[in-house]
Amino acid sequence: AQSVAQPEDQVNVAEGNPLTVKCTYSVSGNPYLFWYVQYPNRGLQFLLKYITGDNLVKGSYGFEAEFNKSQTSFHLKKPSALVSDSALYFCAVRDRWYSGGGADGLTFGKGTHLIIQP
Amino acid sequence: AAGVIQSPRHLIKEKRETATLKCYPIPRHDTVYWYQQGPGQDPQFLISFYEKMQSDKGSIPDRFSAQQFSDYHSELNMSSLELGDSALYFCASSPRTGANTGELFFGEGSRLTVL
C-alpha cells in the first residue's frame, strides 16, 4: 500500500520569504511523486512531478521540490512567496511498479493550507 | 488548451434519489479517473477506465457505478443517495503515457449536495 503524509495542516509565511510545504511518502517500490494546488472551489492543478533523474525538480509558478530517498520526502519549496500562492497544496504518490494497466489513481496527502501574509 | 469538462458543476438532490455526473476528457486522453473530495478532505480515488474498460477500483460504494463510452467520455451514476455523498466529485484524464507516470489533468469538479 502507498501513503502520503503532510504533517502540517497550515503553513503561514510572510510575502517575500521562502516557503516549504512538507511531504513524506511510503511505497513498496520506487515512487512517482507529485504536487498539486487547489484554489477554492476549483479543480486540482498540476505543479510538478518527480519521475527519475535529478532530485531537484522545478515546476510551475516558481515552485520546486526536492526528492530525498533516504528520508522518503518530497518537500515543496519556493524562494520568495507571493500572496497569490495562498491555496491548498496536495502531495501525491504512485508506486512506479504498479502493474494495474497504468490506470491506478494517485494517493493524495491530506493537504496543507498555505497562507501568504502581505 | 482544452481541459477536462465536467457537468453539471452543481447538483442538489434529496436522500435516496439518483444522480449522474458526466466527464469529457481532454482530446486524445484515453484514461479517465473519478475522485471524491469531501469537505476538508483529500481526494479519494473511486474508479478509473482505460479504453472503455474499468481499469482500477478504489473506494467506490456499491451504490455507485460508472462507465466510459466510445467517445471516451465517462459518467458516474450514484443511486440511493445519502447525506454523506455530499462532496466535490472530480474527473481527471490522462494519455496512456501519462497514465504510466500518474500525471493527471483534473476538471473543475461537480459539487453534489444531498439534502
Side-chain angles (χ1 to χ4, degrees):
Chain A
Q2 55 196 37
S3 65
V4 175
Q6 292 180 243
E8 302 152 316
D9 289 336
Q10 183 170 306
V11 171
N12 295 281
V13 178
E15 187 176 26
N17 283 0
L19 69 88
T20 299
V21 183
K22 296 179 180 178
C23 170
T24 59
Y25 66 89
S26 173
V27 295
S28 55
N30 290 311
Y32 291 143
L33 293 157
F34 306 84
W35 276 100
Y36 283 83
V37 60
Q38 185 178 30
Y39 296 95
N41 297 311
R42 303 294 300 276
L44 284 80
Q45 297 178 33
F46 170 77
L47 275 180
L48 52 79
K49 65 182 177 184
Y50 170 80
I51 302 300
T52 187
D54 287 342
N55 289 342
L56 184 65
V57 294
K58 295 185 183 297
S60 307
Y61 313 118
F63 284 94
E64 58 188 29
E66 186 165 14
F67 171 62
N68 187 316
K69 188 173 183 178
S70 63
Q71 297 184 4
T72 61
S73 67
F74 190 57
H75 302 330
L76 180 70
K77 299 182 180 184
K78 187 172 181 180
S80 179
L82 299 173
V83 172
S84 57
D85 293 330
S86 299
L88 182 58
Y89 290 80
F90 288 100
C91 181
V93 69
R94 180 172 177 270
D95 190 331
R96 183 181 305 184
W97 303 114
Y98 177 77
S99 59
D104 184 23
L106 300 178
T107 297
F108 287 88
K110 295 297 183 184
T112 298
H113 288 275
L114 177 62
I115 298 175
I116 309 301
Q117 295 151 335
Chain B
V4 176
I5 306 297
Q6 291 188 244
S7 68
R9 292 295 310 279
H10 301 273
L11 189 61
I12 299 175
K13 291 286 186 178
E14 300 277 344
K15 282 196 306 183
R16 292 180 288 279
E17 284 191 321
T18 298
T20 297
L21 306 181
K22 297 185 178 182
C23 168
Y24 296 86
I26 292 172
R28 292 182 293 281
H29 283 195
D30 50 21
T31 307
V32 169
Y33 311 75
W34 285 98
Y35 281 83
Q36 178 191 57
Q37 185 180 28
Q41 301 295 314
D42 57 299
Q44 295 292 316
F45 172 64
L46 293 179
I47 195 167
S48 61
F49 291 87
Y50 167 63
E51 283 291 345
K52 293 152 281 185
M53 300 288 290
Q54 179 182 309
S55 181
D56 204 1
K57 199 170 181 179
S59 53
I60 185 169
D62 292 340
R63 299 177 289 107
F64 292 9
S65 65
Q67 58 181 334
Q68 187 181 30
F69 296 85
S70 58
D71 63 352
Y72 296 105
H73 94 273
S74 178
E75 295 184 5
L76 177 66
N77 299 292
M78 299 174 283
S79 61
S80 302
L81 287 170
E82 302 173 357
L83 295 178
D85 296 329
S86 296
L88 196 52
Y89 289 83
F90 288 110
C91 174
S93 72
S94 70
R96 191 69 179 107
T97 53
N100 289 329
T101 61
E103 179 178 346
L104 307 182
F105 298 83
F106 284 83
E108 293 295 313
S110 293
R111 182 171 295 283
L112 171 66
T113 302
V114 181
L115 301 176

